């Protein structure tokens, strides 16, 4: 073959090889640098093989039924109260209950403090017979005492001091909760307001008071009785609840329209005379 033809053929061969290489490089450039689907799958495998700590249920005496307290807040306080430890016989875990100390309790917000004192009272005892006030007419009753007066849940001195220290903020928080659930006030909120002698809560409590939430009326009569409010002491309601004619157990009056209106009227009058 002539020399010129050989050179021409060799040139064609090099051009073809170069084109194939450039095409291969071009095809390679179109592929993703990182295969994210593969990484995601690897992460899933890693997560599936990880060991998670068991969730341990803790005993509580108030379960935040209306979810007024955010879940994150409740979990934070639960972790302060309960300490997770490993048993000596292996990996099984248990939680040890303790109360929040003075240093930490002073740092709690009003929301956190309300959750804490209601969920973890200093003592708790079941009193199944407290609310057995039924008669043949099945008329709702306004009782003199809240259940905790019979030893259901007692706050510690430290818990009460913390409530007093944040009194105004706690009352504002509870007034908000009561306004949020008109016609269905959590009686646990009312016990705190009673302990704080929260006369300033009377308007909110009176507004939400109905035969379906007689605890609101219980709070109002408690506040008036503790302050020896004379206009209240002259009523038949007072005599049935606190006077010589009171019931021996669970002093109460019928939740009639007349009685409810009278208690509201007197309580609002009491509030106006004592508001700061």
């Amino acid at each position: 073959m002539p020399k010129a033809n050989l050179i021409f053929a060799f040139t064609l061969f090099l051009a073809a090889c170069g084109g194939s290489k450039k095409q291969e490089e071009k095809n390679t450039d179109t592929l993703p640098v990182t295969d994210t689907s593969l990484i995601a799958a690897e992460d899933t495998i890693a997560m599936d093989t990880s060991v998670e700590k068991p969730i341990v249920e803790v005993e509580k005496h108030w379960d935040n039924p209306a979810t007024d307290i955010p879940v994150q807040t409740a979990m934070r306080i639960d972790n302060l109260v309960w300490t997770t430890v490993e048993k000596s016989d292996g990996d099984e875990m248990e939680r040890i209950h303790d109360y929040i100390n003075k240093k930490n309790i002073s740092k709690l917000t009003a929301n956190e403090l309300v959750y804490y004192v209601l969920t973890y009272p200093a003592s708790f005892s079941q009193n199944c017979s407290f609310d057995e006030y039924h008669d043949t007419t099945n008329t709702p009753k306004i009782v003199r005492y809240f259940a905790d007066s019979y030893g259901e849940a007692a706050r510690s001195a430290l818990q009460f001091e913390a409530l007093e220290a944040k009194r105004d903020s706690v009352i504002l928080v509870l007034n908000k909760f009561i306004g949020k659930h008109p016609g269905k006030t959590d009686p646990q909120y009312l016990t705190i307001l009673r302990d704080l002698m929260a006369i300033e809560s009377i308007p909110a409590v009176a507004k939400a008071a109905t035969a379906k939430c007689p605890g609101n009326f219980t709070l109002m009569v408690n506040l008036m009785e503790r302050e020896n409010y004379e206009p209240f002491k002259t009523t038949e309601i007072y005599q049935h609840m606190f006077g010589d004619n009171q019931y021996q157990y669970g002093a109460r009056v019928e939740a009639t329209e007349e009685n409810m209106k009278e208690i509201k009227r007197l309580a609002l009058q009491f509030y106006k005379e004592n508001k700061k």
Side-chain angles (χ1 to χ4, degrees):
M1 179 181 292
K3 185 176 180 181
N5 290 341
L6 287 173
I7 294 172
F8 179 73
F10 183 69
T11 302
L12 289 176
F13 174 76
L14 289 177
C17 291
S20 298
K21 185 175 181 182
K22 287 180 180 178
Q23 183 64 35
E24 181 180 351
E25 289 175 350
K26 182 177 181 182
N27 291 339
T28 304
D29 289 342
T30 61
L31 294 176
V33 177
T34 305
D35 191 343
T36 55
S37 61
L38 179 60
I39 290 178
E42 289 175 347
D43 287 346
T44 303
I45 294 172
M47 286 179 10
D48 290 342
T49 57
S50 63
V51 179
E52 296 183 0
K53 292 184 178 181
I55 298 175
V56 184
E57 292 293 330
V58 298
E59 182 183 6
K60 300 178 182 179
H61 303 301
W62 183 73
D63 59 0
N64 191 23
T67 62
D68 291 318
I69 310 295
V71 174
Q72 295 87 346
T73 298
M75 292 176 63
R76 178 175 124 71
I77 302 305
D78 292 342
N79 287 330
L80 283 175
V81 174
W82 294 84
T83 303
T84 302
V85 297
E86 291 187 4
K87 291 183 178 180
S88 58
D89 57 351
D91 296 331
E92 189 176 359
M93 305 178 74
E94 66 176 3
R95 303 202 79 183
I96 306 299
H97 178 273
D98 195 7
Y99 291 101
I100 300 176
N101 60 35
K102 187 172 184 177
K103 178 181 178 181
N104 287 327
I105 199 173
S106 65
K107 298 177 182 178
L108 301 182
T109 65
N111 266 15
E112 292 170 338
L113 184 58
V114 167
Y115 176 81
Y116 172 56
V117 300
L118 292 182
T119 309
Y120 301 105
S123 65
F124 186 86
S125 60
Q126 189 64 38
N127 195 328
C128 299
S129 62
F130 173 77
D131 203 31
E132 295 178 358
Y133 297 146
H134 303 293
D135 58 18
T136 55
T137 63
N138 202 30
T139 307
K141 305 294 187 296
I142 300 171
V143 298
R144 169 182 172 178
Y145 293 118
F146 290 105
D148 70 322
S149 299
Y150 288 86
E152 281 282 323
R155 293 183 245 290
S156 68
L158 183 57
Q159 288 175 331
F160 184 74
E161 288 173 8
L163 287 171
E164 282 282 9
K166 289 184 169 63
R167 182 182 185 278
D168 292 346
S169 297
V170 168
I171 290 173
L172 284 174
V173 165
L174 294 176
N175 285 353
K176 178 182 177 182
F177 291 167
I178 291 170
K180 182 180 173 183
H181 311 289
K184 193 176 181 181
T185 304
D186 191 322
Q188 297 273 27
Y189 298 156
L190 301 175
T191 62
I192 295 180
L193 294 176
R194 173 209 58 202
D195 291 347
L196 294 176
M197 276 302 296
I199 297 173
E200 54 266 57
S201 290
I202 288 178
V205 172
K207 183 178 181 180
T210 67
K212 293 183 179 179
C213 53
N216 293 45
F217 295 99
T218 298
L219 174 62
M220 288 186 278
V221 298
N222 270 252
L223 294 176
M224 291 188 287
E225 191 273 335
R226 290 187 175 196
E227 287 292 309
N228 291 310
Y229 187 51
E230 194 60 35
F232 174 57
K233 293 177 68 175
T234 62
T235 65
E236 291 186 10
I237 295 173
Y238 176 87
Q239 286 300 317
H240 278 289
M241 287 189 157
F242 303 98
D244 296 335
N245 298 327
Q246 68 175 290
Y247 290 90
Q248 292 299 312
Y249 176 72
R252 59 203 185 272
V253 295
E254 305 286 333
T256 61
E257 284 294 325
E258 181 181 359
N259 285 339
M260 289 190 292
K261 285 182 179 180
E262 181 69 356
I263 292 173
K264 282 186 180 183
R265 183 187 70 80
L266 288 167
L268 289 170
Q269 179 179 308
F270 170 63
Y271 162 75
K272 290 177 182 177
E273 294 176 8
N274 289 274
K275 67 178 180 179
K276 298 176 182 179

